[in-house]
Amino acid sequence: MTFPQQVQVSEPALMIRINRSYSPGMSTEALYESTRGVWVIGSRRDKVQYALAVSLGIVQEVYSVDSWHPAGSTAYETRAQQDVELDGRWEFSGRVAPDSIRSKYLEQSVAHYFPRGAANPITYVNIR
């Protein structure tokens, strides 16, 4: 059994903890939709290149962020519309990141980026 290695993120990224919605073996679409929305997030979102789906400190997937939209304004396949139409929240549209990026982070630990007891599921890296 191999254990995840702690990794340093070098790109402008957003780490999103999806502990509540993540389950091993969930579909790729459900994982994407759990990660992409819906978040209370400020204007720094526009500087994000990649979004990392994180569960229990381990990167489950990496997405290239193409654009941001008000929550509920783009279609979801695995989430109910009433669960994503929330005022003041945002969602991104994107795609799985290129293998050159994914291979650096997938199944690696980023737990050190989340302070113990931190409630916010969002952590910016390399964004000011």
Side-chain angles (χ1 to χ4, degrees), residues 9 13-17 51-52 54 110 113-114 121-125:
V9 176
L14 185 66
M15 288 186 266
I16 304 173
R17 287 190 293 188
L52 284 68
V54 178
V110 291
Y113 284 100
F114 296 94
I122 302 288
T123 297
Y124 293 97
V125 182

Side-chain angles (χ1 to χ4, degrees), residues 3-4 11 32-33 44 47-48 56 58 61 64 66 79 81 86 92 100 103 108 124 127-128:
F3 292 97
E11 292 80 15
Y32 170 63
E33 291 188 353
R44 290 189 294 168
K47 298 177 182 178
V48 170
L56 303 176
I58 307 301
E61 189 55 89
S64 295
D66 294 330
R79 297 176 75 178
Q81 198 63 27
L86 300 169
F92 70 85
S100 60
S103 63
Q108 302 301 314
Y124 293 97
I127 296 175
R128 298 192 186 277

Side-chain angles (χ1 to χ4, degrees), residues 50-72:
Y50 300 101
L52 284 68
V54 178
S55 178
L56 303 176
I58 307 301
V59 177
Q60 303 300 323
E61 189 55 89
V62 183
Y63 301 99
S64 295
V65 175
D66 294 330
S67 56
W68 289 92
H69 313 275

